[in-house]
């Protein structure tokens, strides 16, 4: 099993039902959170999530928006690794996470209105940024199955 995280940016909030349905077709949903980030928090978090410059984060902010975001932690029961060309070069990623992220983004006419991890490293990095905890801390607190509720944080 392997864990990944997806963020629904503010400008795609109205697509929550579609996105959660698509994610649940591939993964076991572990937890869903709703939070609000200010413009400044969103810019800072985008720079960390995407490892990009302030200027690049500003461009991303104009596409994705800021305010309410949804954070979804998922479990891939049968993960498959795939060699994939990323901005870091060719690396092994979670095939299911990469493909569903691409599918959802394509449904938004190529707009990158969701963020998703594809590796263990990205998940560990992103859970610290978004939920202020480590992977181990998260799973110690969240041993039960997701009950369908969105937890506001």
């Amino acid at each position: 099993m392997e864990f990944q995280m997806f963020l629904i940016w503010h400008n795609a909030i109205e697509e929550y039902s579609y996105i959660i349905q698509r994610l649940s077709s591939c993964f076991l949903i572990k937890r869903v959170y709703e939070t609000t980030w200010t413009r400044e928090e969103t810019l800072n978090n985008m720079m960390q999530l995407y490892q990009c410059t302030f200027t690049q984060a500003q461009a991303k902010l104009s596409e994705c928006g800021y305010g309410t975001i949804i954070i979804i932690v998922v479990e891939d029961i049968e993960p498959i690794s795939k060699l994939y060309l990323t901005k870091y070069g060719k690396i092994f990623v979670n095939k299911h996470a990469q493909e569903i992220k691409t599918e959802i983004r394509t449904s938004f006419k190529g707009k990158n209105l969701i963020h998703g991890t594809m590796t263990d490293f990205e998940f560990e990095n992103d859970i610290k940024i978004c939920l202020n905890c480590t992977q181990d801390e998260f799973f110690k607190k969240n041993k039960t199955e997701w009950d369908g509720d969105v937890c506001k944080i």
Side-chain angles (χ1 to χ4, degrees):
M1 72 184 117
E2 187 175 290
F3 299 95
Q4 302 296 335
M5 177 186 294
F6 293 86
L7 274 66
I8 304 174
W9 293 114
H10 182 76
N11 288 350
I13 290 293
E14 68 277 357
E15 300 296 335
Y16 169 80
S17 294
Y18 166 74
I19 295 168
I20 205 81
Q21 180 271 326
R22 292 305 305 131
L23 291 176
S24 61
S25 73
C26 299
F27 303 106
L28 178 63
I29 307 292
K30 297 302 285 183
R31 288 290 180 273
V32 178
Y33 300 93
E34 178 183 311
T35 192
T36 302
W37 288 346
T38 65
R39 183 179 191 284
E40 293 73 26
E41 288 171 323
T42 304
L43 281 169
N44 288 331
N45 290 339
M46 283 181 166
M47 286 188 291
Q48 292 177 67
L49 291 167
Y50 294 105
Q51 298 178 0
C52 65
T53 66
F54 182 77
T55 302
Q56 291 167 324
Q58 284 181 309
K60 186 109 185 110
L61 182 78
S62 67
E63 179 178 38
C64 299
Y66 66 91
T68 301
I69 64 161
I70 304 290
I71 302 163
I72 305 165
V73 178
V74 301
E75 180 179 0
D76 190 342
I77 303 297
E78 297 180 12
I80 299 170
S81 290
K82 170 185 175 182
L83 195 58
Y84 183 72
L85 182 61
T86 71
K87 68 180 183 180
Y88 311 109
K90 277 190 170 185
I91 61 171
F92 281 99
V93 302
N94 179 294
K95 177 183 185 288
H96 301 133
Q98 186 272 324
E99 288 178 354
I100 198 71
K101 181 169 65 169
T102 300
E103 175 191 316
I104 293 169
R105 286 178 171 176
T106 300
S107 75
F108 296 145
K109 298 178 177 44
K111 291 183 180 175
N112 296 323
L113 299 179
I114 65 162
H115 169 74
T117 63
M118 299 187 299
T119 67
D120 291 339
F121 172 80
E122 285 180 321
F123 178 76
E124 187 68 42
N125 179 67
D126 292 8
I127 201 166
K128 287 177 191 169
I129 296 164
C130 298
L131 298 177
N132 196 29
C133 65
T134 66
Q135 178 175 325
D136 289 342
E137 291 168 339
F138 174 84
F139 291 108
K140 283 179 187 172
K141 290 189 274 184
N142 296 288
K143 294 184 186 239
T144 60
E145 295 300 317
W146 182 52
D147 60 8
D149 286 344
V150 177
C151 178
K152 293 187 189 255
I153 54 173

